[in-house]
Amino acid sequence: MPNFKSKLLYEVEALKSRKKAVILAHNYQPPEIQDAADYVGDSFELSRVAAESKAEVIVFCGVFFMAEVAAILDPHKVVLLPEMAAGCPLADTITAAALRERKKQHPEAAVVTYINSPAAVKAESDVCVTSSNAVHIVDTLEADEILFVPDMNLGSYVARHTANNKKVHTWNGCCESHHIVTGADVQAARAAHPKAVLLAHPECQPEVVEAADHVFSTGGMLKYADQTDDREMLIGTEQGLLYRLQKENPHKRFYSLSPKMYCPTMKMITPEKIISSLKTLRPRVAVPEDIREPARKALERMLQLAAS
Ligand code: CIZ
């Protein structure tokens, strides 16, 4: 007999095939959601899976901006976010109107926008980036001056690593789940796990990033963990990633850099909410066409430059 939890997952499966849906889960989602998903990945990987999928309905288990990216890339699909309150506090630090004001102060700057941002902000941007391609894309742009929004830590990482010394203006936004970790936390974690190699996300503060052995996006961490001979790793990103790391590398050991690396909105989606979403085809995320088209251009430009 299936237990209570597997009964829920069985219901998800049945509804999914009835509604011709695919379930996508971000790397930071809770284990039961990752296990229910057809694909687990970072925001951009998942949006591309959504756009290429033959499914008519996309259930996006992540936060609002991620579902928006899927709706930008393919407006013909029904994109569901099972919990509308699952926002991204970093994305919420910026609006299109505030960006337009800031652009007036730096009229020569290319506007480079992290994917963790609202669609209307992407629509005001020259190009989008993810944490895995931000430095490369800024290097590739002709502009010597960059307005990087909204993550100040990723912006500062780009400023320190861009090859041609570009002037990078940053926005005052950050991801609390990454920004909250300090150099003292790194010292404590290293003392507790002296053999572990430290992998940090570039959304962490500079003192954490500079103390790390390697700096990666979530996709970069998964790849490194798979390929390295290291047996123990301290993971400097939202702790949801540890489930996938451990599942894919059962003979290696992973420790969270800090228990503070926890995103509450990433944990709002439950199997019950997926079921309700599949039954009602709500809540649905759609992007108005006057925002969608310029936002799509900024995302497409990222793809072109990332491949160059
Ligand atoms: O873009 C993403 O999915 C996030 C939030 C982080 C990462 O490094 O993958």
Side-chain angles (χ1 to χ4, degrees):
M1 281 292 285
N3 62 25
F4 182 63
K5 186 172 148 201
S6 64
K7 260 167 77 180
L8 280 180
L9 293 186
Y10 177 78
E11 194 174 349
V12 168
E13 282 293 318
L15 277 165
K16 199 177 71 176
S17 63
R18 196 165 349 127
K19 302 282 178 153
K20 298 190 174 53
V22 66
I23 300 181
L24 310 181
H26 190 265
N27 288 324
Y28 297 154
Q29 285 291 297
E32 68 276 19
I33 303 298
Q34 295 194 28
D35 287 343
D38 298 294
Y39 299 92
V40 182
D42 67 28
S43 58
F44 197 66
E45 266 170 9
L46 293 179
S47 300
R48 293 186 76 182
V49 169
E52 284 159 18
S53 164
K54 300 237 180 316
E56 292 166 13
V57 175
I58 308 295
V59 184
F60 214 118
C61 303
V63 292
F64 187 77
F65 83 85
M66 299 177 179
E68 264 190 341
V69 174
I72 291 167
L73 293 182
D74 188 348
H76 305 296
K77 297 218 166 85
V78 173
V79 180
L80 304 173
L81 180 66
E83 172 52 74
M84 268 314 211
C88 169
L90 166 61
D92 293 344
T93 63
I94 188 165
T95 62
L99 176 57
R100 279 195 292 273
E101 279 307 302
R102 185 72 189 280
K103 278 161 79 168
K104 289 182 192 160
Q105 292 169 24
H106 308 289
E108 303 298 320
V111 179
V112 176
T113 296
Y114 191 25
I115 195 160
N116 300 32
S117 55
V121 168
K122 291 182 175 80
E124 294 284 335
S125 309
D126 293 301
V127 63
C128 291
V129 296
T130 68
S131 47
S132 61
N133 60 29
V135 173
H136 172 71
I137 287 180
V138 166
D139 279 346
T140 313
L141 290 172
E142 271 180 24
D144 292 326
E145 205 181 338
I146 306 292
L147 175 55
F148 190 100
V149 302
D151 191 291
M152 63 180 172
N153 290 325
L154 181 59
S156 137
Y157 178 77
V158 167
R160 297 195 307 280
H161 290 86
T162 174
N164 16 29
N165 234 355
K166 299 194 180 198
K167 175 86 189 135
V168 180
H169 308 282
T170 55
W171 190 262
N172 199 19
C174 67
C175 163
E176 265 310 311
S177 320
H178 288 88
H179 187 76
I180 195 164
V181 179
T182 62
D185 294 315
V186 171
Q187 279 177 13
R190 285 219 191 259
H193 304 289
K195 292 193 188 140
V197 167
L198 172 56
L199 314 184
H201 195 280
E203 286 178 26
C204 293
Q205 295 191 59
E207 66 188 41
V208 173
V209 166
E210 296 310 320
D213 298 297
H214 303 284
V215 181
F216 290 129
S217 64
T218 58
M221 289 184 192
L222 286 155
K223 190 168 169 199
Y224 180 86
D226 173 51
Q227 295 177 352
T228 183
D229 290 332
D230 297 330
R231 312 301 300 166
E232 292 183 48
M233 281 157 264
L234 270 165
I235 302 302
T237 193
E238 210 283 336
Q239 43 187 269
L241 186 67
L242 272 86
Y243 177 68
R244 187 167 164 201
L245 283 166
Q246 199 61 72
K247 192 170 166 182
E248 292 179 5
N249 304 277
H251 304 300
K252 297 178 182 173
R253 300 185 74 177
F254 302 94
Y255 315 104
S256 179
L257 173 58
S258 162
K260 294 183 282 187
M261 303 192 89
Y262 177 85
C263 174
T265 56
M266 273 285 177
K267 314 302 178 198
M268 285 182 164
I269 291 173
T270 61
E272 290 86 347
K273 288 179 188 171
I274 296 177
I275 289 168
S276 154
S277 217
L278 278 167
K279 281 183 178 160
T280 59
L281 295 185
R282 294 275 183 280
R284 184 171 171 180
V285 175
V287 177
E289 199 52 28
D290 59 328
I291 291 176
R292 193 191 75 78
E293 190 45 31
R296 188 191 61 76
K297 283 195 178 128
L299 286 163
E300 295 287 345
R301 186 145 188 237
M302 165 172 85
L303 286 182
Q304 280 164 13
L305 296 180
S308 67

